Amino acid sequence: MNYDILIPITLFFSIAYSIKAIADARVRRQMVAVGGSEDLVRSVLQGDDLRRRHSSLHWGIVLVALAIGFGLIQLFGWQDLNPGMVAVLVGATGLGNLVFYGMARRLG
């Protein structure tokens, strides 16, 4: 594996995520400092919590679907990259997203 490319990409995503987290925290702090209504602050925090839970659910479902796809590839004994292998992985990802969509609609 070529780590010369992986390390800068990982560093970039880490820095971008840190900046986003700091900006979100600063916006929340300013909203409270300015005297935003308690209902507004509460609704923003509840919305963040719901979005965080849905994000975890989404990625959990997609990763389980991908694991099933990789298991099918192993079961079929495919060794080389071919269109069937790609179709199984793309289909598993799509199926995981559809399952999440259905669960998200049912949950709220």
Side-chain angles (χ1 to χ4, degrees):
M1 180 165 227
N2 191 358
Y3 292 108
D4 294 341
I5 295 173
L6 185 62
I7 292 172
I9 291 172
T10 305
L11 179 65
F12 172 76
F13 282 116
S14 299
I15 291 171
Y17 181 75
S18 299
I19 291 171
K20 181 188 177 309
I22 290 170
D24 287 346
R26 189 172 191 176
V27 166
R28 282 191 215 113
R29 185 170 22 125
Q30 286 178 349
M31 194 169 32
V32 171
V34 169
S37 69
E38 185 176 324
D39 293 334
L40 175 65
V41 173
R42 184 178 298 120
S43 69
V44 168
L45 292 177
Q46 286 174 347
D48 285 345
D49 183 48
L50 181 64
R51 187 173 56 242
R52 203 172 312 123
R53 282 187 285 149
H54 277 183
S55 177
S56 296
L57 177 64
H58 177 241
W59 284 108
I61 291 171
V62 168
L63 289 175
V64 167
L66 277 173
I68 292 169
F70 276 112
L72 288 173
I73 289 171
Q74 182 71 30
L75 182 70
F76 293 144
W78 290 336
Q79 298 295 323
D80 298 325
L81 184 63
N82 59 35
M85 184 184 297
V86 173
V88 167
L89 294 177
V90 170
T93 303
L95 184 63
N97 281 316
L98 288 173
V99 168
F100 167 72
Y101 176 75
M103 289 184 71
R105 285 185 52 100
R106 190 175 308 144
L107 290 175

